[in-house]
Amino acid sequence: MRTTRALVAAATAVAALGVAAPAAVARDGLPIGPSNIVALPSVIPRGGQLTITVDGCPNGGTATSDAFKPTTLTPVGGSTAKGVATIDRRARPGAHSITVRCTGAGRPLTHPNAFTVIGGVRGGLGGSTSTGATPTDMAIGGGLIAVAVVGGGVFWMRRRAEKRT
């Protein structure tokens, strides 16, 4: 009875190792597909250039997103591939995903919310959206000028009075 139990336990252990071994070899041997996607910078304006680095793509591949045209990833050493994508000028602001397909690997990998596109900035205007001074701005500016003129007049009159005595 004891021999039978030991034999069953040994057979179960061998079967478990036999099932796990091919998966371990595939993971530790040649990469079976992309394993990590890094997009830098993580916040980018429209028209900016995004650098995409992917682990597990020794032969390169292609990166796609709804914010840029398909971009070729070239091998840079080991099992890493890299590419530069230009964000479309009409890309919607917000978070975007990147999907990578490696050459010679079966399964693609998607990195949700890999980067964020920000809206355009009105350069040279200090980021303002109004077109000129508002009535409030004019009232404040006029008040400051009036205070300066009155203060200057009072100062001048006092200096003039001091010279007479």
Side-chain angles (χ1 to χ4, degrees):
M1 193 79 159
R2 286 183 187 166
T3 309
T4 308
R5 285 186 183 170
L7 189 58
V8 170
T12 304
V14 169
L17 285 174
V19 171
V25 169
R27 189 175 302 132
D28 296 334
L30 293 174
I32 56 174
S35 60
N36 186 29
I37 301 172
V38 177
L40 293 174
S42 60
V43 177
I44 188 166
R46 296 173 186 152
Q49 291 195 330
L50 183 71
T51 302
I52 303 163
T53 306
V54 181
D55 294 332
C57 270
N59 301 321
T62 305
T64 57
S65 175
D66 62 342
F68 57 81
K69 294 179 183 175
T71 301
T72 301
L73 302 172
T74 56
V76 292
S79 65
T80 303
K82 193 174 191 178
V84 177
T86 301
I87 304 300
D88 189 13
R89 297 229 179 249
R90 292 168 292 175
R92 67 170 172 72
H96 294 271
S97 300
I98 297 176
T99 300
V100 171
R101 291 186 188 281
C102 295
T103 305
R107 64 177 177 84
L109 178 67
T110 299
H111 183 309
N113 303 326
F115 64 98
T116 302
V117 174
I118 57 175
V121 178
R122 296 180 69 183
L125 298 175
S128 66
T129 57
S130 63
T131 56
T134 63
T136 305
D137 295 336
M138 297 296 285
I140 291 171
L144 290 173
I145 291 172
V147 168
V149 168
V150 169
V154 168
F155 178 76
W156 182 68
M157 293 297 282
R158 292 188 82 202
R159 295 270 299 168
R160 190 171 168 206
E162 287 177 6
K163 287 184 180 179
R164 288 189 189 164
T165 56

